[in-house]
Amino acid sequence: MTSMKNKLHFCGTVKQAIAFTVILLFISCQRSHVLYVAPDGDDQNAGTLAQPLASLQKAIELCRTGKAGKIELRGGNYYAASIELTREDSGLTIDAYRGEKPTLYGGILITDWNREGKLLSRKLETDFDVRFLTVNNEPRPRSRLPETGEFTHLNTWDVPWMSTSGGGWKVQPTPAQLTTMKYDPKDLGDSLTIRNAEVTVFHFWDESQVGLESIDKANHLLHFSFPSTHPPGAFGTWKTAPRARKYVIMNVREGMTKPGQWYFDKENHTIYYWPMEGENPDSLNAVVPCFNQSVLFRDGAKDIRIGGLCFSTTSTPLVNPGYSAQHIGGAVAGEKAENITLSGLTIENHAGWGICLKGKNISIRDCIVRNTGAGGINFKGDHVNV
């Protein structure tokens, strides 16, 4: 009797195992199906090779419903492309179609330029703050004052620095000391557009990046729109910190001094660009970012592989970057990511970091990271292989 019970139990276990295996195979088959995306596709299509989708985002949404577990992108340019990947996307692979190189821009293509003397202009419909521009896949410099080098401001801050671990400044700066800077009147003209201007104030080992709230022309004071990291003039008495009383003004019309430069008029929401010799306004591949990330891993995203793609042109908000640009995000970014593989990617022309990831079991291999404003790769976690 005991032997018969054991046989029945064994048979039941085998049947359950077979049923479970069939279910896993069914799910695996479902997840192994491929969806295709192409620049000339349509998001109403089925996502086959003959009838591809138009956007990576649509393909991801379909994969979440169990339609597929892999996405392949045909070569070409994709604009206004930015994706978020979550735990829902576990097991997903996003890859370039064999032998082809898709480029996903985190911004919009600017066309129909207007001519204003030497400059091209274009009013933008988006309300995104434009702080970065690529033209023909190269970053273009923003207008700046002075044209080269830096101005010297007139602030002083003689308080001793007690080290970061020692609590910073011996006397903590007041809000007014963090938001006010005295300038030499010969450096700045009277026509400076306050709302457009950004100020980079150099310290010893980092810098502050702030907007302008107002200018007191009678007393030659700049008032920042938010506090700087340190008071202007901090470390200025240190012989080893020759740039600690320096600053530059970015994104003003007065700083447009040569071809290749641009600035964004925030009041009129218009971008201005001075084309370089030989550049035709009708054929410029000029891209204005409307996203700060190309790929964002969030909510415990895990078991995801991305390969063979090019991510280009994202921005970063106006914030104080902090030591080693620690407060700046990345084009490919995320926290608590797990089992992530990035391979054969080109990550170029980004205002922040190229890659900024925290998590575990992360592999970054055979990637090209170039033309980034903060740094190349910033990672933290367990078992990160670069």
Side-chain angles (χ1 to χ4, degrees):
M1 181 63 68
T2 300
S3 176
M4 180 62 69
K5 285 182 180 179
N6 288 341
K7 287 180 181 179
L8 290 173
H9 177 72
F10 174 76
C11 290
T13 303
V14 169
K15 288 179 181 179
Q16 289 174 356
I18 292 172
F20 184 64
T21 302
V22 169
I23 291 170
L24 285 179
L25 286 172
F26 175 75
I27 294 173
S28 176
C29 289
Q30 290 287 97
R31 294 291 286 175
S32 65
H33 181 63
V34 179
L35 288 175
Y36 296 92
V37 181
D40 60 351
D42 190 317
D43 280 346
Q44 300 303 313
N45 284 345
T48 63
L49 194 56
Q51 293 185 315
L53 300 166
S55 68
L56 177 56
Q57 181 60 45
K58 181 63 176 181
I60 291 171
E61 291 170 5
L62 290 175
C63 286
R64 288 173 180 168
T65 66
K67 298 281 185 181
K70 184 176 183 181
I71 300 168
E72 292 191 4
L73 282 79
R74 303 299 305 269
N77 296 334
Y78 301 80
Y79 295 99
S82 177
I83 59 172
E84 293 188 5
L85 299 172
T86 71
R87 191 175 292 273
E88 284 186 277
D89 304 303
S90 297
L92 180 63
T93 294
I94 302 173
D95 219 336
Y97 185 74
R98 57 184 178 274
E100 298 184 2
K101 192 71 174 181
T103 299
L104 289 83
Y105 292 96
I108 57 175
L109 180 66
I110 302 300
T111 57
D112 300 326
W113 291 96
N114 299 308
R115 176 70 72 171
E116 295 190 22
K118 294 180 180 179
L119 306 183
L120 303 177
S121 69
R122 180 68 157 80
K123 188 174 181 65
L124 303 180
E125 302 302 325
T126 175
D127 60 356
F128 199 82
D129 183 16
V130 180
R131 304 188 63 246
F132 197 70
L133 173 73
T134 61
V135 176
N136 299 336
N137 293 319
E138 293 181 356
R140 290 289 190 258
R142 278 200 297 178
S143 63
R144 80 190 305 272
L145 290 173
E147 181 178 353
T148 60
E150 303 97 14
F151 291 133
T152 300
H153 62 74
L154 305 180
N155 274 43
T156 57
W157 177 258
D158 296 330
V159 176
W161 175 253
M162 310 302 290
S163 80
T164 303
S165 59
W169 298 110
K170 188 173 183 178
V171 177
Q172 292 302 308
T174 66
Q177 289 167 330
L178 291 170
T179 56
T180 307
M181 186 176 74
K182 189 174 183 64
Y183 66 92
D184 190 326
K186 75 178 189 313
D187 293 335
L188 302 181
D190 292 335
S191 60
L192 203 67
T193 305
I194 297 172
R195 188 165 182 263
N196 292 339
E198 296 181 9
V199 185
T200 300
V201 184
F202 296 102
H203 305 300
F204 182 40
W205 44 68
D206 61 359
E207 70 274 352
S208 296
Q209 292 182 344
V210 295
L212 281 186
E213 183 175 273
S214 63
I215 300 178
D216 180 348
K217 295 178 182 178
N219 296 299
H220 311 132
L221 297 174
L222 299 180
H223 295 288
F224 304 154
S225 56
F226 56 87
S228 55
T229 305
H230 301 290
F235 312 105
T237 59
W238 293 19
K239 293 181 180 179
T240 53
R243 298 180 74 201
R245 291 181 61 198
K246 303 291 186 179
Y247 75 100
V248 298
I249 303 287
M250 308 293 292
N251 195 54
V252 289
R253 192 180 186 100
E254 294 86 348
M256 295 285 285
T257 57
K258 57 187 176 182
Q261 288 183 308
W262 67 277
Y263 82 100
F264 181 57
D265 187 328
K266 299 181 183 183
E267 290 185 328
N268 299 315
H269 222 72
T270 300
I271 189 167
Y272 292 86
Y273 174 64
W274 190 341
M276 301 177 70
E277 185 177 356
E279 288 184 336
N280 184 344
D282 296 328
S283 59
L284 288 180
N285 183 27
V287 181
V288 168
C290 53
F291 294 106
N292 293 328
Q293 281 94 28
S294 293
V295 181
L296 179 62
F297 296 98
R298 64 178 187 84
D299 296 341
K302 60 186 298 186
D303 304 324
I304 297 171
R305 178 188 177 278
I306 304 176
L309 309 181
C310 175
F311 295 110
S312 179
T313 313
T314 59
S315 188
T316 185
L318 177 60
V319 296
N320 289 313
Y323 178 63
S324 297
Q326 60 182 306
H327 301 312
I328 304 296
V332 178
E335 299 187 4
K336 298 181 180 179
E338 185 177 349
N339 299 334
I340 304 297
T341 299
L342 307 176
S343 64
L345 302 180
T346 299
I347 300 170
E348 62 184 9
N349 306 333
H350 300 282
W353 288 89
I355 299 172
C356 191
L357 279 177
K358 296 179 182 179
K360 61 181 180 180
N361 299 328
I362 296 171
S363 175
I364 303 169
R365 62 173 186 263
D366 300 325
C367 294
I368 296 170
V369 183
R370 61 190 175 202
N371 292 345
T372 58
I377 300 175
N378 183 342
F379 64 88
K380 184 177 181 179
D382 299 324
H383 301 102
V384 180
N385 183 281
V386 180

